[in-house]
Amino acid sequence: MVRFMKHKTYNIITLGCQMNKSDSERIAGYLENLGYKLNNDRYSSDLVVVNTCGVRQSAEDRIYGIIPRIKKKNPKAKIVLTGCLSNREDVKKRLKEKVDIWLPTVQIPNLKYQITNKFQIPNNKSQSCGYLKIKSKYSSMISAFVPIGNGCNNFCSYCVVPMARGGEVYRPAKDIVQEVENLVKIGYKEINLIAQNVNSYKSQITNNKFQTNSKLQITNSKQINFSGLLQMINSISGNFWIRFSTSHPKDMSDELIKIITNCKKVCRHIHLPAQSGDNEILKKMNRNYTAGHYKKLIKKIRRAMPDTSITTDAIVGFPGETREQFNNTAELFKEMKFDMAYVSKYSPRPGTAAENLDDNVSREEKKKREENLMRILRKTAWENNKQYIGEIVEVLIEGEKNNFYFGKIKTGKSVRIMNYELGIRNLVGKFVKVKIIKSRDFGLEGEIA
Ligand code: SAH
Ligand code: SF4
């Protein structure tokens, strides 16, 4: 690509999910290819990209503070708004004086035209994941996000993602495998495969044999599902871990559970958003499963892999959620003994089916319900974590701070490594055996074994 913008600087502000973080890494790679240099100060950068999240009102509200502040303190900066809110007409109206370029995520490859010519690209929601071909500037040297697709077809009634990102499109298995092979070759130790619903993955290539280092080869006209993709990535040689999210309870198959069990590089951590433990609410949410199905699924996973940690998402105060219905979610939390959960207070989102329902649970009541779930979670997570005491576990060291190392184990738990001998060689980016000596609700402490 032509380098035509020497010495200009950029800054990226990322709000929201892993997918947004990964998209920002791609935007950074793209801009550096154009000759831009990273500037950590948004108030002196030539170009500021705000990668927005519209999943909750609270995430949306943040940009109404951030963007006008940048425009005021750094009026010469070109402000690019991308991500979930880039297609929202009401947001465009509200920020039209402050934002220079509106960039739907799939249009990232066209950003150079907009920077140079103020040439307006047609604002159609392209169903493409071509932008995923852009090479990321990974923000970590150890752990990388590798998107396997984009968009969602599920239309959960509260969720804006299918409107904001469009329908599901998946990346060819060949591209994914090659990206992972390259990452492993240069020393990456953790690969995070991400998509809104990984379980619906289908490879888009149906012919052309391709050669990879993976022991498994894709042959003619064989469609690959997520289980097949995991097997391919698992068979890439090298010492690394594989994580994936997000799974949907309606789509997690027995085949997938079996494959995860057999793939030794796949981490023992399943993130499975329940959203609610009440059948009527689940139906109103258009989740297409019951609480009973969810519980059975977790039991199946735990039977196949007893050492797996299970994390979830839940929404409290969905329109019409009664105390009894909420109590079913609280029961689910007690019974499933989650290791971690992201609990959100429901907020109506424009364009969703639930937008038309009466948001009749008060803010205070939502807060109470959220605190209630967090109390249960802290207890179950702490009880789960106690079982690690005395065990020797493998830790991927992610960094060093104030005289301790920190990292993660295969189940996704954070570990702090205390009292290691000063002068010990740099362990960042290495797998190290650690004896767990202390546990907290959301973390463990250990010593090098
Ligand atoms: N694809 C994932 C998550 C997508 S959004 C899934 O299927 O679960 C991330 C989380 O945000 C959701 O799991 C949900 O718990 C929360 N969320 C989405 N829309 C919301 C809304 N309108 N109000 C509150 N929380 C919401
Ligand atoms: Fe949103 Fe549901 Fe799709 Fe997840 S599965 S992104 S919650 S619509």
Side-chain angles (χ1 to χ4, degrees):
M1 205 177 278
V2 194
R3 292 177 179 262
F4 61 95
M5 282 274 178
K6 281 211 173 93
H7 312 307
K8 292 251 180 184
T9 61
Y10 76 95
N11 179 276
I12 305 184
I13 298 162
T14 310
L15 301 160
C17 60
Q18 293 183 334
M19 198 68 197
N20 267 16
K21 287 183 189 138
S22 170
D23 289 341
S24 287
E25 293 181 342
R26 224 160 284 109
I27 296 169
Y30 177 89
L31 289 172
E32 297 212 351
N33 210 12
L34 290 183
Y36 276 80
K37 296 268 174 289
L38 177 67
N39 176 353
N40 287 321
D41 174 22
R42 64 182 77 161
Y43 301 119
S44 63
S45 298
D46 299 302
L47 189 75
V48 181
V49 181
V50 186
N51 193 354
T52 60
C53 170
V55 164
R56 271 165 245 119
Q57 185 66 46
S58 52
E60 177 179 333
D61 286 343
R62 290 185 58 194
I63 66 161
Y64 302 125
I66 291 171
I67 293 179
R69 209 173 308 127
I70 298 169
K71 204 67 194 169
K72 191 163 169 218
K73 289 195 175 180
N74 184 8
K76 279 199 243 140
K78 229 172 213 167
I79 299 186
V80 181
L81 189 148
T82 188
C84 258
L85 300 173
S86 57
N87 280 317
R88 279 256 311 274
E89 291 307 321
D90 56 325
V91 178
K92 281 187 184 172
K93 230 182 190 170
R94 186 160 171 185
L95 290 176
K96 81 170 180 284
E97 306 293 325
K98 318 276 181 204
V99 171
D100 300 280
I101 298 170
W102 296 86
L103 184 77
T105 308
V106 293
Q107 300 276 3
I108 295 169
N110 292 326
L111 178 57
K112 61 181 180 225
Y113 303 116
Q114 289 179 300
I115 297 174
T116 49
N117 304 338
K118 277 221 150 202
F119 165 88
Q120 209 54 47
I121 309 286
N123 195 2
N124 58 345
K125 256 188 261 162
S126 160
Q127 295 286 302
S128 147
C129 63
Y131 84 98
L132 295 177
K133 282 192 188 299
I134 298 172
K135 209 174 162 336
S136 290
K137 182 193 176 204
Y138 305 100
S139 47
S140 152
M141 306 279 284
I142 302 161
S143 174
F145 291 123
V146 176
I148 65 169
N150 183 34
C152 184
N153 294 346
N154 285 324
F155 291 94
C156 300
S157 65
Y158 52 82
C159 183
V160 82
V161 171
M163 278 64 78
R165 286 193 173 267
E168 285 168 19
V169 219
Y170 290 102
R171 248 179 121 184
K174 179 179 171 219
D175 292 8
I176 300 167
V177 170
Q178 277 171 356
E179 183 173 351
V180 177
E181 279 178 350
N182 290 337
L183 286 164
V184 172
K185 219 180 280 163
I186 57 174
Y188 277 80
K189 295 291 188 292
E190 186 179 68
I191 302 297
N192 299 282
L193 304 173
I194 55 169
Q196 295 304 330
N197 185 11
V198 290
N199 315 115
S200 329
Y201 178 81
K202 277 189 204 78
S203 176
Q204 309 249 301
I205 41 159
T206 50
N207 48 34
N208 287 341
K209 234 182 186 177
F210 70 86
Q211 292 297 312
T212 70
N213 292 335
S214 162
K215 281 171 224 134
L216 293 164
Q217 299 292 318
I218 292 181
T219 48
N220 284 346
S221 69
K222 190 179 168 230
Q223 256 223 350
I224 288 170
N225 62 10
F226 186 59
S227 305
L229 182 71
L230 267 188
Q231 278 181 297
M232 291 202 67
I233 294 175
N234 186 69
S235 70
I236 293 172
S237 43
N239 190 16
F240 67 99
W241 286 350
I242 305 163
R243 297 187 187 279
F244 62 88
S245 69
T246 303
S247 299
H248 195 300
K250 77 175 164 59
D251 297 322
M252 190 145 191
S253 65
D254 290 353
E255 182 204 18
L256 181 59
I257 297 173
K258 200 168 146 207
I259 298 293
I260 300 169
T261 315
N262 293 333
C263 288
K264 295 298 167 222
K265 288 172 184 157
V266 176
C267 287
R268 295 300 181 244
H269 170 202
I270 308 279
H271 181 63
L272 200 62
Q275 309 300 0
S276 167
D278 181 81
N279 287 342
E280 244 173 76
I281 295 291
L282 284 170
K283 203 163 180 195
K284 281 199 196 165
M285 287 178 163
N286 193 30
R287 289 291 286 178
N288 284 306
Y289 56 83
T290 59
H293 169 82
Y294 185 88
K295 290 177 191 174
K296 263 197 220 143
L297 194 53
I298 300 285
K299 277 182 197 139
K300 245 190 246 172
I301 295 169
R302 287 207 166 117
R303 209 175 308 127
M305 297 170 280
D307 54 345
T308 300
S309 74
I310 310 273
T311 59
T312 199
D313 290 359
I315 298 176
V316 292
F318 185 81
E321 186 189 63
T322 61
R323 286 264 167 89
E324 290 71 47
Q325 289 172 326
F326 166 73
N327 285 340
N328 286 333
T329 307
E331 281 308 310
L332 182 85
F333 266 56
K334 282 182 197 154
E335 214 180 313
M336 296 298 102
K337 302 191 190 336
F338 292 118
D339 290 278
M340 184 45 158
Y342 301 95
V343 180
S344 312
K345 296 189 266 309
Y346 171 77
S347 60
R349 300 285 64 217
T352 60
E355 189 197 4
N356 303 317
L357 303 174
D358 186 14
D359 180 20
N360 60 351
V361 181
S362 69
R363 250 201 97 72
E364 295 69 50
E365 182 60 26
K366 283 176 186 163
K367 193 159 191 312
K368 251 198 230 159
R369 293 181 190 182
E370 181 189 20
E371 285 167 359
N372 191 330
L373 292 186
M374 288 309 290
R375 246 194 320 273
I376 301 168
L377 174 70
R378 254 183 239 112
K379 197 158 170 262
T380 57
W382 185 63
E383 274 163 14
N384 293 345
N385 284 355
K386 274 200 292 199
Q387 293 169 22
Y388 285 91
I389 293 180
E391 265 191 45
I392 294 184
V393 291
E394 193 168 34
V395 180
L396 172 57
I397 309 284
E398 294 169 323
E400 195 182 4
K401 203 160 99 187
N402 305 334
N403 261 343
F404 63 82
Y405 278 116
F406 59 91
K408 262 200 266 95
I409 59 175
K410 235 176 164 175
T411 55
K413 310 262 178 193
S414 303
V415 183
R416 281 213 274 180
I417 300 160
M418 321 300 289
N419 307 329
Y420 62 90
E421 279 174 48
L422 288 174
I424 204 163
R425 71 188 195 285
N426 186 11
L427 298 178
V428 177
K430 305 223 161 61
F431 290 109
V432 175
K433 293 257 188 269
V434 169
K435 183 171 182 186
I436 301 300
I437 48 167
K438 244 192 212 169
S439 70
R440 288 171 281 119
D441 43 9
F442 300 133
L444 303 168
E445 271 180 32
E447 286 173 350
I448 290 173

